[in-house]
Amino acid sequence: MARSLAVLCVHGVGHQELDPDFRSAWQTSITSAVRAWDSSLEPTVDFLDYDALFDHAPLNLATYGLAMGKLLASAVVHGVGDLFEPTRAFGDVPEKVKWTAGMIAQWSTEDALRTKTRNAILAQMNKKNYDVVCAHSLGSLISYDTFAQNPAAIEGKVFVSLGSQIANPAVRDVFAGRIVALAAREWYDLFNPDDRVLTCPINLTASNFEQVQTEFDIPNDLLNHNATWYLDHANAVATVWRDLAGGPQAKSFTSIARGLQRVVATPTRRALLVGINEYPDPRNKLEGCVNDAFLISSVLQECGFEAGEIRLVLNERATTEAIMERLHWLLDDVRDGDERMLFYSGHGAQIPEYGPHGEPDHVDECLVPFDFDWSPAYAISDKQFCELYSQLPYGCHFVAVFDCCHSGGLTRDGGPRIRGLTPPDDIRHRALEWNAQEHMWVARKFPVVNKSLVDSREGKAYLGQSGSLHRLGRSSTLRTLPQATYNATRTAFGHLGPYLPILMEACQESEFSYEYRHGATSYGAYTFCLAMVLHENRQINKNLSYVELSEQTTEKLRRLKYQQTPALVGAKKLLSQDLPWSPDARTPANKAARRRAGAPARRSKKKGTR
């Protein structure tokens, strides 16, 4: 007797994707793929029609325009590759992308519409015992939203997403900034890096998740978003359809290898150290940053890191592309228990940036790579950085140390060098407006990014004193929901929000980070004092908490008359725990030494939460 396979398909962009034959095309692709492994298999393919829900849903115009702008801005940065130049008007965006963005914006801004789409999927799932749900584009968003909040509906089944916008930053804040594992037996995400319809890879560490690379380039099709090209792809046939044709015991070799790797792997340490003295403009030259990188490398190795666990990138080699490539080395495939450290020594800057409506409306804090040119494409801002850390598992340990400032500054003759760049006049003009009454230029007042977050206890640490600053390491682009909604959404999806690294910064928002001369050798004042505090405490076999390390470094800087106050940002219970960098940090002898030195005993380290 032939076996059956029940498939529910959830289409993407509405109105049957403009193709009246799309159902038969999906049916043919799925049937052909599963029969490549079992010729007797008879798949039954049903489709969920949800377009009418969008046609009848009223638009909340107050939020729809903003959501649409965010999505199209994200298309420029994330989803459409070389289709756009950063300065190109959103009016030039292809209609397919605008239509997709419009439907996603409508869905993301209307709670009642999201409820209706969830109910539609749940009602269909109750009609039949489906083996697999196959969802394309907008359909993958609707399906994920449903199954993440109703795990029983997908439990024991296979979920296949293709051409998905689930991880797009402009969408992810709808899910309170984090993607979670589903209760599915297996979740396969088919990802084409050349798909330019707002798609993004899903960075998810889970035993039942596999992202399948399905790269294709359709002739004369700039968007590369066609569902059947995903379904027919050789890698999809060799993984997804092989699994579904053979049942749970026929999981792909990749899945099996992935599971074995998790079983045998041990926690790892990695550190990336960036130091840039030499910038193309001689006026921006610094002196101590390369020395800082080598100093921190020596300290880490004294604290238990192996030399092979540390990478340096310096001066002209520290381009935007090179730093991002090494950040992937640092933060890809991180598991619970892993330890990661990023150290940056060089210039910092602030770039007044354009928002969804094409006008400057916020400021991006950024690191300054060698090829920095005051554009988002050649800067390391949190928009790129948070893509790498926000999905890290809560049980890993990631600390980022920044010896730079973002307030701007020039080298002062006879005085210490300042590690921050003042923007050129055309960039600075974005943040100014003319006061006709005073006949003077004054600072433009940008709108507050998220008032409820700014008004919260930690708000200014996230969005700066002005409330319009996107600060490094804070995932502020994923925190756009009002605080009450954000907290309720985290609860609904069963997570704690984006992962946030522990941040150790050389100075406060409005201060400068200075260089120090150790005889004839230059270092960052903050980095040198930090290293000396660690060295001094190692001499008495005393490990420190992050709070103690920051406090002692601050005291040393003050004694040396430096007008900079280090900043420490992170979850309080993590900041009060011992530094993880010493191999003997948690031994009884070390804890006894701490108590003899007068430090209060602390509970043993637990997995961090955010």
Side-chain angles (χ1 to χ4, degrees), residues 3 38 61 150 290 294 362 464 476 502 505 599:
R3 292 193 304 111
D38 185 346
L61 296 179
N150 301 274
V290 171
F294 276 91
H362 70 279
S476 55
I502 292 173
E505 300 169 318

Side-chain angles (χ1 to χ4, degrees), residues 212-216 228-238 241:
V212 181
Q213 292 295 315
T214 49
E215 187 171 351
F216 57 81
T228 57
W229 281 67
Y230 277 103
L231 298 172
D232 292 336
H233 195 281
N235 289 346
V237 174
W241 305 118

Side-chain angles (χ1 to χ4, degrees), residues 434-446:
W434 180 250
N435 185 317
Q437 182 176 351
E438 300 292 342
H439 298 283
M440 295 177 67
W441 291 102
V442 297
R444 180 183 296 185
K445 194 169 184 179
F446 290 140

Side-chain angles (χ1 to χ4, degrees), residues 186-222:
E186 190 78 6
W187 174 6
Y188 294 103
D189 180 61
L190 308 185
F191 174 65
N192 175 19
D194 292 324
D195 185 330
R196 297 178 174 91
V197 184
L198 307 174
T199 60
C200 281
I202 298 174
N203 185 11
L204 179 63
T205 303
S207 59
N208 66 338
F209 175 81
E210 181 175 350
Q211 186 153 284
V212 181
Q213 292 295 315
T214 49
E215 187 171 351
F216 57 81
D217 189 3
I218 306 173
N220 302 316
D221 185 344
L222 290 176

Side-chain angles (χ1 to χ4, degrees), residues 80 89 370 416:
V80 294
F370 178 80

Side-chain angles (χ1 to χ4, degrees), residues 141-302:
L141 278 173
I142 294 170
S143 300
Y144 171 81
D145 186 50
T146 302
F147 299 140
Q149 298 185 71
N150 301 274
I154 197 66
E155 188 172 1
K157 307 179 190 302
V158 172
F159 178 54
V160 183
S161 53
L162 45 142
S164 174
Q165 298 90 19
I166 292 172
N168 188 298
V171 176
R172 210 187 319 157
D173 62 347
V174 173
F175 309 128
R178 190 172 178 88
I179 306 303
V180 298
L182 298 177
R185 171 170 71 77
E186 190 78 6
W187 174 6
Y188 294 103
D189 180 61
L190 308 185
F191 174 65
N192 175 19
D194 292 324
D195 185 330
R196 297 178 174 91
V197 184
L198 307 174
T199 60
C200 281
I202 298 174
N203 185 11
L204 179 63
T205 303
S207 59
N208 66 338
F209 175 81
E210 181 175 350
Q211 186 153 284
V212 181
Q213 292 295 315
T214 49
E215 187 171 351
F216 57 81
D217 189 3
I218 306 173
N220 302 316
D221 185 344
L222 290 176
L223 299 181
N224 291 310
H225 191 59
N226 188 286
T228 57
W229 281 67
Y230 277 103
L231 298 172
D232 292 336
H233 195 281
N235 289 346
V237 174
T239 54
V240 179
W241 305 118
R242 181 177 187 273
D243 177 359
L244 290 167
Q249 279 67 44
K251 294 183 97 175
S252 71
F253 294 117
T254 303
S255 298
I256 296 170
R258 185 187 65 212
L260 288 174
Q261 184 180 30
R262 289 196 178 97
V263 170
V264 301
T266 56
T268 61
R269 281 176 165 170
R270 286 184 182 179
L272 172 62
L273 316 180
V274 183
I276 310 176
N277 289 334
E278 303 293 337
Y279 287 93
D281 187 340
R283 293 173 298 179
N284 297 332
K285 178 182 174 66
L286 295 169
E287 294 183 350
C289 303
V290 171
N291 290 337
D292 286 347
F294 276 91
L295 177 61
I296 292 299
S297 180
S298 68
V299 168
L300 290 178
Q301 292 182 61
E302 290 177 2

